[in-house]
């Protein structure tokens, strides 16, 4: 399976392999704005003694650190982040820290002073009557420059200090970032304008231009963009927030037969809880009294409420219908299914697919390159432009610094991943690892388990044949009368079939179970037996009347159970594991997506072929042990082992990769294949080991969840690629314009317009990612 990229420092003095103990922690990081910021925080954490791994996510503002508690603690981790110029805060479950209050305060302050400054400096240039009015009020240009300086100074020394502080820390660390670019651009414009205003004699009359509006308004625009980003990030985390809202605050605990309202956090396993109509189930447990219908749609995506009776399991956070029941708590707190789902979604949002490495590699060299381009732009305008060259040189250099802020690059992948994992949760799936989106989107082959995946996983009577001299309900009553007393797994199938056909089980006067053959007894004076062909032969019962039906069932791989009365065979039951009703539709959808499909099963060849024929899959490998499934998956053409044409035929498996492969399963024996596949999809209701081995957990047993996740994964990857294309293309196109390369054609980009364009670029990436919130899989 693809694993998330992690940042480690090979030069660390502490060898993670020699650590005596490791711990994990997650906390928020405020102040990050681009991929360069992420890299600085990761490096600051990774160089601390005792830190084994550090991974920081820009979209969630979350840092995940694995460390040795004997060498470093959380306070030292926080100190390392502060030294890098950012603000560590405790992680808030279900959402990222926004730092919103500080950003809103700085934004309001910068707008209060920046808007009048913009009106005073720019509007007179476009509206000559205002210019004449101002000149009549005071003809001194120096006076108006002082007014503009008075408006710009609170912005630079207030909200602007954050860029200067963090930008200088980044420059000192030899890893300049977006804050460095903004600080250099705005403070260059401010200081040069202040020099012109306070000491105009040092400049020739033609060079006495002030750019206070560029300094102050750019800061306002950058802060506006960050505020919009914070709001968009909050929308991306809404899926987790809605899951958190499912947890009720209180529950009705039964004590000595009376209901006592207590906090859900106080519940312990074994507590008996009363759930009234309309309540949300407080924790995971089992029904021990009463019955109702429970809406599980927010967890499984299934729209129809499910009947819950004594012995049925209920999940915390689901909504009770109009019935009332009593439950016994079995999993509480962090052990509940809902808590585990929330944790898995958060961890998935903290990982990144391999495509993120492309953006990271570009950003490492991007900011230093921009500083070089800005310096060359300034020098070129100073030496090549006509006098006065300084104003134009400064304006174009500042525009280059501002337009090149790599916000969009840093957000391109995590923003799409944030929205994609949130949408997956809404569709009833938990994506454990963000890299699973990329591997599933790139999959060209998919193998599926049979039992419990393509089939319902529980045997049922699919046909009941009786002699013409017998009535079906009479024969069923006799068979069910014996089977209801049997502990054999197939007995339930008989009883359920009889109940569905209105047959009331007869009451036997004698009963005996026969090992490996069936059951026998006496009912109303008749000697009745239900069991295998071996039992019929022992009783001397002639089975020839059902030869044709038994041959057809045997070809299909179905099981057979015979009913004998007084030594005569009177009925034949065909027992099979039915194909899921939606399986054929799901398989057809996967084929339309261009996937090559196969069935890998431990069952016999005949039933496996029958299921394959029923759903439309011709490639079937049967009789496989768990390790055999994993090996068959590799020779199918994917998994983590490269495969050659020779390897695909069962020979050597070294060579050229044939493409990625996914596996869908639910059982204990599926765990090796789920782990070996590039992407493992585990169906809900399966074994704990299978669920733990899967990259994507499908909470609904509906097999159509599989093509839905394939469609979503491909949509996420399309979004990431479009985001990266926009981010790279945007900078590549506009940096030359900002530098003045197209000045001769009349194309100019002032620092103010550059700031607006930079903010719009990040906003485009975020809005494009948020489109995934409305994704409809079409099946």
């Amino acid at each position: 399976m693809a694993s998330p990229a992690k940042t480690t420092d090979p030069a660390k003095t502490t060898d993670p392999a020699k650590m005596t103990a490791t711990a994990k922690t997650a906390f928020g990081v405020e102040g990050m704005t681009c991929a360069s910021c992420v890299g600085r925080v990761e490096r600051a954490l990774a160089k601390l003694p005792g830190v084994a791994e550090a991974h920081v996510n820009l979209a969630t503002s979350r840092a995940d650190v694995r460390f040795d508690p004997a060498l470093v603690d959380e306070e030292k981790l926080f100190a390392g982040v502060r030294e890098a110029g950012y603000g560590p805060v405790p992680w808030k479950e279900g959402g990222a820290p926004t730092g919103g209050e500080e950003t809103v305060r700085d934004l309001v302050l910068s707008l209060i002073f920046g808007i009048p400054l913009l009106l005073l400096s720019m509007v007179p240039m476009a509206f000559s009557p205002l210019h004449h009015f101002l000149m009549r009020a005071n003809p001194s240009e120096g006076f108006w420059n002082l007014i503009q300086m008075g408006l710009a100074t609170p912005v630079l020394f207030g909200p602007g200090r954050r860029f200067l502080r963090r930008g200088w820390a980044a420059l000192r660390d030899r890893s300049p970032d977006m804050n460095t670019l903004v600080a250099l651009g705005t403070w260059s414009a401010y200081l040069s304008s202040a020099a012109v205003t306070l000491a105009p004699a040092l400049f020739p009359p033609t060079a006495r231009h002030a750019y206070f509006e560029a300094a102050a308004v750019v800061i306002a625009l950058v802060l506006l963009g960050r505020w919009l980003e914070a709001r968009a990030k909050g929308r991306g985390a809404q899926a987790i927030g809605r899951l958190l809202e499912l947890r009720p605050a209180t529950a009705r605990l039964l004590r000595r037969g009376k209901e006592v309202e207590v906090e859900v956090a106080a519940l312990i396993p074994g507590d008996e809880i009363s759930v009234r109509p309309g309540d949300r189930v407080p924790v995971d447990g089992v029904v021990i009294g009463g019955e109702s219908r429970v809406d599980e749609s927010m967890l499984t995506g299934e729209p129809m409420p499910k009947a819950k009776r004594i012995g049925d399991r209920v999940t915390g956070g689901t909504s009770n219908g109009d019935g009332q029941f009593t439950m016994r708590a079995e999993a509480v707190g962090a052990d509940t299914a809902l808590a585990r789902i929330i944790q898995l979604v958060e961890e998935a949002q903290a990982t990144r697919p391999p495509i993120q490495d492309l953006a990271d590699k570009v950003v490492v060299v991007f900011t230093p390159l921009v500083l070089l381009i800005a310096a060359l732009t300034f020098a070129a305008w100073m030496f090549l432009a006509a006098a006065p060259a300084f104003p134009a040189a400064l304006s174009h250099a500042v525009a280059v610094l501002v337009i090149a802020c790599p916000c969009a690059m840093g957000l391109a992948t995590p923003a799409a991943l944030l929205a994609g994992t949130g949408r997956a949760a809404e569709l009833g799936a938990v994506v454990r690892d963000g890299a699973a989106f990329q591997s599933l989107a790139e999959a060209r082959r998919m193998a599926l388990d049979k039992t419990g995946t393509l089939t319902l996983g529980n045997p049922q009577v699919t046909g009941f044949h009786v002699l013409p001299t017998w009535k079906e309900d009479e024969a069923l009553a006799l068979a069910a009368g014996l089977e209801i007393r049997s502990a054999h797994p197939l007995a339930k199938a008989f009883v359920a079939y009889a109940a569905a056909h209105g047959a009331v089980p007869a009451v036997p006067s004698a009963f005996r179970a026969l090992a490996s053959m069936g059951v026998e007894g006496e009912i109303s004076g008749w000697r009745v037996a239900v069991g295998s062909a071996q039992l019929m032969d022992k009783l001397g019962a002639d089975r020839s009347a059902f030869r044709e039906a038994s041959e057809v069932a045997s070809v299909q791989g179905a099981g057979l159970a015979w009913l004998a009365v007084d030594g005569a065979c009177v009925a034949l039951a065909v027992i099979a594991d039915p194909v899921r009703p939606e399986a054929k539709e799901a398989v057809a959808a996967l084929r339309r997506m261009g996937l090559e499909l196969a069935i890998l099963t431990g069952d016999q060849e005949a039933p496996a072929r029958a299921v394959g024929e029923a759903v439309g899959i011709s490639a079937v490998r049967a009789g496989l042990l768990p390790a055999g499934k994993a090996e068959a998956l590799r020779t199918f053409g994917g998994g983590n082992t490269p495969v050659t044409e020779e390897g695909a035929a069962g020979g050597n498996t070294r060579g050229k990769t044939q493409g990625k492969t996914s596996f869908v399963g639910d059982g204990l024996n599926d765990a090796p294949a789920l782990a070996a596949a590039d992407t493992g999809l585990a169906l809900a209701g399966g074994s704990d080991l299978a669920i733990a081995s899967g990259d994507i957990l499908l909470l609904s047993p509906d097999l159509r969840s599989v093509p839905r996740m394939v469609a979503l994964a491909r949509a996420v990857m399309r979004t990431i690629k479009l985001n990266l294309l926009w981010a790279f293309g945007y900078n590549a196109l506009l940096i030359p314009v900002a530098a003045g390369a197209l000045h001769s054609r009349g194309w100019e980009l002032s620092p103010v317009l550059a700031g607006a364009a930079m903010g719009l670029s990040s906003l485009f990436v975020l809005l494009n990612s948020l489109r995934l919130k409305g994704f409809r899989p079409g099946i």
Side-chain angles (χ1 to χ4, degrees):
M1 288 179 292
S3 58
K6 299 287 184 184
T7 297
T8 56
D9 187 352
K12 286 160 60 85
T13 57
T14 303
D15 183 1
K18 297 179 181 179
M19 294 183 182
T20 57
T22 57
K24 292 182 180 180
T25 187
F27 54 87
V29 181
E30 295 181 342
M32 297 188 301
T33 56
C34 63
S36 296
C37 299
V38 170
R40 290 198 64 240
V41 176
E42 287 181 335
R43 287 192 295 273
L45 290 169
K47 71 181 181 182
L48 295 174
V51 173
E53 289 180 336
H55 174 60
V56 179
N57 186 286
L58 179 62
T60 58
S61 301
R62 167 174 164 152
D64 289 88
V65 184
R66 187 166 63 86
F67 61 97
D68 184 349
L71 299 175
V72 65
D73 55 21
E74 193 169 82
E75 184 53 43
K76 290 181 180 179
L77 297 176
F78 279 25
V81 174
R82 291 191 193 98
E83 187 177 349
Y86 301 90
V89 294
W91 180 250
K92 180 181 178 183
E93 185 182 22
T98 62
E101 293 182 2
E102 180 186 3
T103 300
V104 170
R105 184 182 66 247
D106 287 349
L107 174 60
V108 170
L109 182 63
S110 62
L111 290 176
I112 289 174
F113 292 98
I115 291 176
L117 176 58
L118 185 64
L119 294 175
L120 188 61
S121 61
M122 304 297 290
V123 173
M125 298 172 58
F127 188 60
S128 56
L130 180 58
H131 173 74
H132 295 312
F133 171 78
L134 295 177
M135 289 298 100
R136 286 196 299 270
N138 192 318
S140 171
E141 186 174 352
F143 171 80
W144 295 111
N145 283 347
L146 280 172
I147 297 295
Q148 293 182 44
M149 183 176 175
L151 292 170
T153 299
V155 179
L156 269 294
F157 284 87
R161 280 191 308 169
R162 64 159 69 186
F163 300 105
L164 184 62
R165 182 177 67 253
R166 292 169 183 164
W168 168 248
L171 199 60
R172 184 186 58 203
D173 196 39
R174 298 180 182 178
S175 56
D177 60 6
M178 173 186 169
N179 294 293
T180 307
L181 300 180
V182 174
L184 283 174
T186 56
W187 281 91
S188 296
Y190 175 81
L191 293 175
S192 64
S193 300
V196 168
T197 301
L198 300 177
L202 298 178
F203 301 87
T206 54
R208 295 171 186 172
H209 297 289
Y211 295 94
F212 290 113
E213 81 286 349
V217 176
V218 164
I219 288 176
L221 288 171
V222 173
L223 290 173
L224 177 61
R226 292 189 179 179
W227 177 68
L228 292 173
E229 289 173 13
R231 284 177 59 87
K233 290 177 185 177
R235 288 180 59 195
Q238 282 178 355
I240 295 179
R242 281 195 288 271
L243 289 175
L244 287 170
E245 292 171 1
L246 294 177
R247 299 188 299 192
T250 61
R252 295 182 177 88
L253 179 64
L254 291 176
R255 287 179 178 169
R256 300 183 182 90
K258 295 183 179 180
E259 294 184 5
V260 180
E261 190 165 310
V262 299
E263 292 187 0
V264 170
L267 295 174
I268 61 174
D271 280 344
E272 294 185 2
I273 305 160
S274 174
V275 182
R276 295 180 180 176
D279 284 354
R280 286 203 176 274
V281 179
V283 293
D284 298 358
V286 61
V287 177
I288 59 175
E291 61 181 54
S292 184
R293 298 184 70 84
V294 176
D295 181 1
E296 299 180 334
S297 59
M298 282 301 293
L299 290 176
T300 66
E302 290 293 320
M304 296 299 294
K306 291 186 176 180
K308 298 293 181 180
R309 300 179 179 86
I310 294 176
D312 290 339
R313 301 189 63 81
V314 288
T315 304
T318 55
S319 180
N320 185 29
D322 54 6
Q324 183 169 347
F325 63 88
T326 304
M327 63 174 289
R328 181 176 61 248
E330 293 190 342
V332 300
D335 295 327
T336 64
L338 183 60
R340 293 198 302 270
I341 289 169
I342 293 170
Q343 180 184 1
L344 289 172
V345 173
E346 287 182 340
E347 289 175 353
Q349 291 178 345
T351 61
R352 56 189 174 192
I355 196 172
Q356 175 66 23
D357 295 341
L358 173 62
D360 292 345
K361 291 176 182 178
V362 172
V363 170
V364 167
V365 299
F366 182 75
T367 304
L369 181 61
V370 168
L371 293 175
L372 177 61
I373 294 174
L376 292 175
T377 297
F378 184 84
W381 279 92
M382 285 295 295
F383 289 103
L384 300 178
F390 178 77
L394 178 63
S395 177
H396 285 94
V398 170
V400 169
L401 292 172
V402 172
I403 197 67
C405 292
C407 302
M409 292 186 196
L411 289 168
T413 299
L417 195 61
L418 182 69
T421 51
R423 183 58 181 146
E426 292 173 346
L427 290 173
V430 177
V431 181
R432 292 178 178 274
D433 182 351
F437 274 135
Q438 183 168 352
S439 59
L440 183 58
E442 295 175 355
R444 293 297 173 265
R445 298 171 177 84
M446 178 176 288
L448 302 94
D449 173 49
K450 181 187 76 71
T451 306
T453 302
L454 289 169
T455 67
L456 293 176
N458 56 307
Q460 296 181 10
V461 176
T462 57
F464 194 71
H465 307 274
V466 298
L467 292 177
T469 55
W470 279 77
K471 293 181 179 180
E472 183 181 82
D473 58 344
E474 292 177 347
L476 278 175
L478 294 176
L482 291 181
E483 293 290 8
I484 200 170
R485 286 160 175 76
S486 172
H488 195 279
L490 298 183
K492 290 183 179 180
F494 257 110
V495 176
Y497 187 83
H501 288 75
V504 179
V507 180
S509 56
F511 172 82
R512 185 163 65 108
L514 304 172
S516 303
M517 288 193 292
V519 294
E520 66 178 4
E522 291 186 10
I523 300 177
S524 300
W526 286 327
R527 292 182 294 106
V528 182
V530 180
S532 64
Q534 182 184 2
L535 176 59
M536 296 299 106
D537 292 341
K538 181 180 178 181
L539 296 174
D542 182 10
R543 296 180 282 119
S544 60
F546 302 101
R547 181 179 291 112
E548 182 178 350
S550 63
E551 289 177 351
V552 171
S554 297
V555 169
Q556 295 175 346
L560 302 175
W562 311 80
L563 171 65
V565 179
D566 287 342
C569 189
V570 301
L572 168 66
V574 179
I575 302 175
D577 184 5
V579 173
R580 290 186 181 274
E582 78 284 355
K584 188 172 184 179
E585 180 184 359
V587 167
L590 292 170
R591 286 204 179 280
R592 288 195 298 271
M593 293 176 175
L595 288 167
E596 181 183 344
L597 303 176
I599 295 175
L600 303 181
T601 180
D603 204 351
Q604 300 297 319
E605 184 82 15
R609 291 285 177 189
V611 170
E613 184 177 349
V615 300
I617 301 178
S618 58
V620 176
R621 293 284 301 276
L624 297 174
L625 296 175
K629 283 189 179 183
E631 182 60 31
L633 186 69
R634 294 188 179 98
T635 58
F636 179 39
N640 292 327
T641 304
V643 177
T644 60
E645 291 181 4
E646 181 182 358
N652 184 12
T653 58
R654 297 180 179 273
K656 183 179 177 181
T657 299
Q658 294 279 315
K660 293 188 180 297
T661 298
S662 299
F663 182 78
V664 185
D666 76 316
L668 183 68
N669 63 341
D670 294 328
L674 286 166
D678 293 295
T679 315
L681 296 94
L683 285 176
S687 72
D688 291 340
L689 182 56
I691 291 172
S693 302
D695 301 295
I696 299 176
L697 173 59
L698 304 173
L699 300 178
S700 169
D702 190 331
L703 201 60
R704 287 172 294 190
S705 298
V706 177
R708 287 170 187 159
M709 285 303 103
V710 174
L712 177 60
R714 292 181 179 181
V716 169
M717 292 310 300
R718 285 195 301 269
T719 301
I720 290 175
K721 290 174 182 177
L722 181 58
N723 285 348
L724 290 173
L725 178 64
W726 170 266
F728 294 148
Y730 159 85
N731 288 117
L733 290 174
L734 291 187
I735 287 178
V737 178
L742 302 178
H743 173 73
S744 60
R745 299 187 178 183
W747 288 26
E748 293 285 351
L749 194 63
S750 70
V752 173
L753 292 177
M758 181 268 295
L760 288 174
S761 176
S762 297
L763 193 58
F764 170 86
V765 166
L766 287 165
L767 293 178
N768 185 49
S769 299
L770 288 174
R771 289 189 306 111
L772 292 168
K773 298 282 290 176
F775 172 78
R776 296 289 182 271
I779 180 174

